[in-house]
Amino acid sequence: MSTAETEVDVRRTPGLVPVTETMRTVEREPGAAPAGPPAAAPPPSRPVAAFWRLLGSELGLTFRRPRNQVMLAVLASVPLLIGIGLRIAAGDEAVGGLIGAVAGNSLMLTFVSFSFLVLLLMPVSVAVVGGDSVAGEAGAGTLRYLLAAPAGRTRLLAVKYLNAVLFAYAVTIVVALSALVTGLVLFPVGPVTLLSGSTVSVAEGLLRILVTVGYVGAGMAALAAIAVALSTFTEVSIGAIAATMVLVIVAQVIRAIPQLDFLAPYLLPTWWTRFDAVLRSPIDLAALGQGLLVFGAYIGLFCSIAWARFTGKDITS
Amino acid sequence: MRRGTFVRWGVPIAAAAVIAGAMGAGPVIAAVSGEPTLPERTAQQLLADAAAATSERDGIPPMSGTVQQTASLGLPALPQTGSASPINLLSGSHEVKLWYGGVNKIRVAMPTQFDETNVIVNGDQVWYWDSGDNTATKVKVKSGTDVGRHQLPTPSPSDMTPQKMAADLLAGAEKDTAVRVTNNAQVAGRAAYQLVLTPKDESSLVQEVRVALDGETYVPLQVQVYAKGSAEPAFQVGFTQVTFTPPAAENFTFTPPAGAKVQEQTLGDDKAAEQHAEHAQETAQGLKTVGEGWTRVAVLPFKPEDLTKARTQQPDGQWNEGADPGALLDNVLKSATPVSGTWGSGKLIKTKLVTALLTDDGRLLVGAVTPEEITKAAGIK
């Protein structure tokens, strides 16, 4: 990228931020010579501090936004509704399996809540935040101000993705906490019966919930990568959000067709529900590990797509 | 286009390539490392070694692992049935986990999404646990009867272990089979000998049967049945993961969890089982075979009405929707081709591995042979 290129390109669209310009703002260290290596101690520490400041302000914006707060509240209410429903139905002998197990143990409500929410409601909320991340700024016309500040495109994208990941974990933790509190209030506390028929202590049950939160959160972070990647392709955030949800729903449809079973191991929703591995005795670590590998592959692929697109795009709004 | 654009998009393309490589690497590595890693053996030496190792240890060594069974028999699409139905094993892929601590210490778990079925054998105690209906069944075996694992009230997943299948298949290997041994197979990441059995008879639908024996312990790790003219096995059961260390003791202890329904069932005692046995005996008396070895065709008297009768004999809804044999038969017969000859006429059902002929005079012929061969067998009365 030569400097001549920008000098020639004088008659440009008003408001356009060409990629060459912001790329240079990234690489230029304040006060340092263009060719020289980063000077000494202060410059490297400053971008790091700036990164965390930017992330902090992003998180503040995300969690203060009423839309996101409402989504978290809705997610927190679902375990409550499931809990109340199961408490009323507790007398019926007919219910078996995972749902039936809740009546006997409070901790099971967390797993039941995840099994319901992980397929649609949690992906929706993660898609909203992820899909809005870049497209929302572009649509509101604030993206070029973000880029005018010497934040750098790669760093901005990293902040946006990290923000979406943290929101994904917040969603997971909110569901787990709400289910845990509801369960403790409505159902008896005691040793947890696993799917394998063996029982573990309450402490180990809580530990297994923690593993589930980590695993499901990672699964949602993989979806967030898709949402952020799609978000870099459009200036209309609803487009990125809808596209992400369409992908999730198409994956669910494929999973429902027995003839397409061979595709299932490559789809995210298949692995979201695999958190049931923690409910087996011994914990099916192989299944969890494979799930995490799939999530990692999705994150790597879609983050690199987002990066390639975002660092090479002229910002026109 | 800017010069940097190509470089930038190279990154996601590289990422995709790495992921695709990682996914494909498993089979490729196994295929590439084809050089023999085990000393060469003839079939006889191998079987003798295996037999010696087995008797020395008094059976199979303690082990645990994941067994996967895959069938692609080319059957007409079967209706989806409950996970526990044996009919399900005829299509698709199924996985069980196996813990083997000794003859009297066995745990077989069949995990499905948010459910698990377990059969736990510990000493003289046999438990069957189904998390789906939260029921623990204590299975008692009537004294005097042998503890056959297939007698468990499940379509016992243990039938799928390679050990049993290998034993069955090796017993059948005789003069009409060409046997050879390869020493470069890889099963579940372990070097294994592969015993390849090829039928000599041309009219058999079986191309070959491959039995993989672990190179170190001689435990059968995999059984594959190849049909003529297809590169993928039509039926396969084998370990996808295996370790030869004694499994933890808590795998074999089972106490019914609080709140679970506990049932007791004694095998060989209830009347239904006796009736079943009687029925089986009747059928066995009517059973004839035509031919020898691989091209043996079983002939048994059969009327579609019998199945309908069986349906009414199960008033307690023991058959699932799709597992209902009558409905299943209707479904299968829909795809059957009508055939006729000097022997009469009937309906022919052809799969990759098995041909079945239902004649109009009430006989069912089943064999792993070509349609020509089965119609020939139909002529022999």
Side-chain angles (χ1 to χ4, degrees):
Chain A
M1 274 163 261
S2 65
T3 43
E5 198 182 327
T6 43
E7 277 156 20
V8 171
D9 188 23
V10 212
R11 291 177 298 123
R12 62 185 194 197
T13 330
L16 177 108
V17 183
V19 69
T20 42
E21 230 165 71
T22 47
M23 287 310 276
R24 280 189 298 123
T25 53
V26 189
E27 267 100 48
R28 192 172 55 215
E29 296 289 340
S45 74
R46 224 178 283 161
V48 172
F51 180 86
W52 291 114
R53 217 169 33 244
L54 192 57
L55 181 61
S57 99
E58 270 303 317
L59 284 173
L61 280 173
T62 304
F63 285 96
R64 271 200 301 274
R65 189 167 273 184
R67 177 176 73 186
N68 296 346
Q69 289 174 345
V70 169
M71 280 194 309
L72 288 175
V74 168
L75 280 167
S77 69
V78 174
L80 191 66
L81 289 176
I82 297 173
I84 292 170
L86 289 176
R87 179 87 182 124
I88 294 167
D92 299 349
E93 277 293 302
V95 284
L98 198 57
I99 296 173
V102 176
N105 197 282
S106 53
L107 297 189
M108 287 307 270
L109 185 62
T110 316
F111 299 108
V112 173
S113 304
F114 272 132
S115 73
F116 282 116
L117 290 172
V118 87
L119 291 175
L120 199 63
L121 214 47
M122 285 168 67
V124 166
S125 52
V126 171
V128 166
V129 170
D132 189 51
S133 58
V134 177
E137 301 276 6
T142 44
L143 188 54
R144 58 194 153 106
Y145 298 115
L146 274 173
L147 291 175
R153 292 193 175 198
T154 307
R155 208 178 304 156
L156 180 66
L157 193 67
V159 165
K160 287 290 186 187
Y161 179 59
L162 215 55
N163 176 54
V165 169
L166 290 174
F167 185 77
Y169 268 98
V171 162
T172 317
I173 291 166
V174 161
V175 170
L177 280 182
S178 161
L180 208 55
V181 171
T182 311
L184 289 175
V185 171
L186 293 178
F187 300 104
V189 186
V192 186
T193 303
L194 302 174
L195 290 178
S196 304
S198 46
T199 40
V200 293
S201 65
V202 179
E204 202 186 328
L206 286 171
L207 188 73
R208 285 180 188 230
I209 287 178
L210 207 62
V211 174
T212 310
V213 167
Y215 179 82
V216 172
M220 292 298 131
L223 183 71
I226 298 178
V228 169
L230 290 172
S231 182
T232 58
F233 283 87
T234 173
E235 288 171 10
V236 190
S237 54
I238 192 73
I241 296 165
T244 312
M245 283 325 294
V246 165
L247 287 181
V248 170
I249 290 163
V250 166
Q252 310 274 32
V253 170
I254 291 175
R255 252 158 48 88
I257 302 173
Q259 279 76 14
L260 297 177
D261 263 353
F262 64 94
L263 283 176
Y266 306 108
L267 303 175
L268 276 182
T270 310
W271 295 99
W272 289 340
T273 52
R274 281 296 168 88
F275 72 84
D276 63 356
V278 304
L279 286 175
R280 309 200 188 277
S281 164
I283 296 184
D284 192 351
L285 290 174
L288 291 183
Q290 215 179 345
L292 289 177
L293 277 180
V294 171
F295 298 153
Y298 267 91
I299 291 172
L301 182 62
F302 281 92
C303 280
S304 64
I305 289 175
W307 176 82
R309 167 70 186 168
F310 189 59
T311 53
K313 161 167 114 162
D314 291 340
I315 308 300
T316 53
S317 57
Chain B
M1 271 302 222
R2 264 183 289 275
R3 186 162 38 104
T5 309
F6 296 107
V7 181
R8 257 194 303 279
W9 281 98
V11 175
I13 291 166
V18 166
I19 291 163
M23 280 191 304
V28 170
I29 289 170
V32 166
S33 63
E35 64 266 27
T37 45
L38 296 166
E40 275 191 37
R41 299 277 160 89
T42 65
Q44 210 172 355
Q45 282 171 334
L46 181 64
L47 288 179
D49 281 351
T54 309
S55 60
E56 196 177 294
R57 278 190 312 254
D58 202 20
I60 303 154
M63 62 190 284
S64 59
T66 308
V67 179
Q68 197 179 43
Q69 179 257 5
T70 315
S72 59
L73 298 175
L75 277 176
L78 291 170
Q80 286 290 297
T81 56
S83 59
S85 163
I87 289 161
N88 255 9
L89 297 181
L90 292 180
S91 63
S93 170
H94 301 271
E95 213 175 68
V96 296
K97 296 206 175 285
L98 173 77
W99 291 266
Y100 184 86
V103 183
N104 286 326
K105 280 183 188 294
I106 304 159
R107 176 181 166 202
V108 181
M110 205 176 206
T112 50
Q113 193 172 320
F114 299 120
D115 272 322
E116 193 171 305
T117 316
N118 269 272
V119 176
I120 296 155
V121 180
N122 189 7
D124 51 356
Q125 277 198 327
V126 181
W127 282 99
Y128 172 64
W129 161 254
D130 187 346
S131 81
D133 48 13
N134 199 18
T135 310
T137 311
K138 187 171 188 178
V139 184
K140 274 190 181 164
V141 181
K142 196 180 166 191
S143 54
T145 38
D146 207 20
V147 192
R149 273 198 277 163
H150 58 276
Q151 285 179 332
L152 293 171
T154 32
S156 162
S158 55
D159 278 354
M160 283 166 41
T161 59
Q163 281 86 359
K164 187 170 156 24
M165 294 225 27
D168 289 355
L169 280 163
L170 287 177
E174 275 172 60
K175 59 183 188 305
D176 43 13
T177 312
V179 183
R180 64 193 166 88
V181 175
T182 63
N183 55 352
N184 53 10
Q186 285 271 340
V187 179
R190 293 181 68 92
Y193 287 105
Q194 212 164 36
L195 202 61
V196 186
L197 314 170
T198 315
K200 286 175 180 164
D201 199 316
E202 283 296 309
S203 54
S204 170
L205 283 181
V206 180
Q207 170 69 42
E208 57 187 31
V209 176
R210 295 185 188 172
V211 183
L213 299 180
D214 185 63
E216 206 178 298
T217 59
Y218 299 103
V219 170
L221 293 180
Q222 190 180 53
V223 175
Q224 295 171 308
V225 182
Y226 286 79
K228 282 238 166 85
S230 76
E232 295 291 311
F235 183 85
Q236 172 174 335
V237 53
F239 285 98
T240 52
Q241 181 264 318
V242 66
T243 41
F244 286 95
T245 47
E250 62 253 33
N251 278 313
F252 308 112
T253 52
F254 183 83
T255 6
K261 274 173 280 177
V262 182
Q263 297 176 344
E264 272 201 24
Q265 200 178 349
T266 311
L267 282 177
D269 201 24
D270 62 326
K271 283 190 180 146
E274 266 169 43
Q275 273 176 1
H276 268 290
E278 242 170 69
H279 184 72
Q281 217 168 8
E282 268 172 43
T283 317
Q285 275 164 2
L287 177 81
K288 285 189 301 177
T289 58
V290 178
E292 273 297 309
W294 293 92
T295 54
R296 187 183 296 244
V297 174
V299 186
L300 55 155
F302 179 83
K303 288 190 185 68
E305 301 91 81
D306 286 352
L307 280 180
T308 334
K309 211 166 68 189
R311 186 169 4 174
T312 49
Q313 276 175 357
Q314 305 276 352
D316 50 345
Q318 220 172 322
W319 303 112
N320 301 329
E321 274 292 297
D324 181 338
L328 193 73
L329 185 75
D330 290 344
N331 195 43
V332 170
L333 282 182
K334 256 183 239 160
S335 60
T337 35
V339 284
S340 59
T342 48
W343 46 271
S345 63
K347 281 180 169 166
L348 186 79
I349 301 149
K350 190 178 179 300
T351 68
K352 274 191 215 165
L353 210 54
V354 178
T355 308
L357 176 66
L358 182 61
T359 63
D360 292 343
D361 56 1
R363 289 178 300 154
L364 177 68
L365 290 91
V366 185
V369 293
T370 53
E372 295 77 47
E373 189 73 15
I374 208 158
T375 47
K376 216 188 285 170
I380 305 163
K381 293 207 177 174

